Amino acid sequence: MISKTMQDAINNQINEELYSSYLYLAMAAHFDAENLSGFAHWMKVQAEEERAHAMKFYGYLYDRGGSVAFKAIAQPPAKFKSPIDVFKQVLDHEMKITKSITKLYELAVKEKDYPSQILLQWFINEQVEEEKNDTEIINQLSMLGESPVSLMMMDRRLAERK
Ligand code: OFO
């Protein structure tokens, strides 16, 4: 059975993942309003991924005899700047999430909670992947610049995300 301390920490992480989903949905809405449907599509896929992360923790808590406690989800920003600024914001956010996953892992080590350590290794790898993807997009946006033609090219590329 999972400890109360670990359960509470995972419940906080569920809130972080749901906020991430909400944040990316707010970014999707911003891009839809700007007629950048490929950028918006990328953000919607990311928002779904974040919800899946929350659900992975949710299922895990019940597998370990724990339970989920939902908290209020913070309001995401409504105004965003240029596409590259948005992706820089995504990367900053993911680096913050990486820190909270690392803290959870440290707690699991301290508590000698091996199943949680194994679950969190999946999340540690996932964070490597997310930071890599965001950095790649930022680099491409800064190489291409933000002329209308460049943005159309990026919009097409981001529309391909599965
Ligand atoms: Fe759940 O990885 Fe992003 O936030």
Side-chain angles (χ1 to χ4, degrees):
M1 187 159 181
I2 198 157
S3 74
K4 166 105 173 54
T5 315
M6 199 69 216
Q7 173 182 284
D8 291 349
I10 289 179
N11 270 317
N12 285 338
Q13 190 61 35
I14 288 177
N15 187 265
E16 294 280 0
E17 301 292 343
L18 292 174
Y19 175 74
S20 300
S21 182
Y22 216 23
L23 173 65
Y24 298 140
L25 215 45
M27 290 173 173
H30 162 76
F31 285 129
D32 268 326
E34 301 276 306
N35 294 311
L36 288 168
S37 60
F39 281 84
H41 168 77
W42 193 97
M43 288 297 171
K44 286 173 198 166
V45 174
Q46 190 59 37
E48 279 306 309
E49 231 179 61
E50 298 302 349
R51 193 174 170 279
H53 292 168
M55 293 309 291
K56 203 174 174 80
F57 281 121
Y58 175 118
Y60 176 73
L61 281 181
Y62 286 104
D63 288 347
R64 297 282 318 280
S67 60
V68 168
F70 292 120
K71 300 166 204 295
I73 302 170
Q75 184 174 355
K79 284 207 185 331
F80 298 94
K81 294 184 187 153
S82 68
I84 193 164
D85 284 318
V86 175
F87 272 94
K88 283 181 179 166
Q89 205 172 334
V90 171
L91 179 60
D92 280 351
H93 179 71
E94 288 305 327
M95 285 163 64
K96 207 186 102 213
I97 297 296
T98 299
K99 274 193 193 142
S100 62
I101 295 284
T102 305
K103 278 204 178 130
L104 268 182
Y105 189 82
E106 286 166 0
L107 178 65
V109 169
K110 195 173 142 220
E111 294 219 332
K112 294 191 169 54
D113 179 341
Y114 298 107
S116 293
Q117 287 174 38
I118 291 166
L119 174 82
L120 288 162
Q121 278 164 13
W122 184 91
F123 279 95
I124 289 170
N125 285 330
E126 179 68 8
Q127 287 308 118
V128 170
E129 188 64 24
E130 292 206 1
E131 288 188 22
K132 184 196 95 171
N133 293 341
D134 302 336
T135 305
E136 201 175 272
I137 295 169
I138 292 168
N139 289 343
Q140 287 175 355
L141 281 168
S142 63
M143 257 182 330
L144 287 169
E146 294 191 295
S147 70
V149 175
S150 304
L151 285 182
M152 287 312 289
M153 273 172 63
M154 272 309 277
D155 198 60
R156 261 188 227 148
R157 161 160 148 35
L158 296 177
E160 286 165 8
R161 182 173 185 188
K162 302 258 188 313

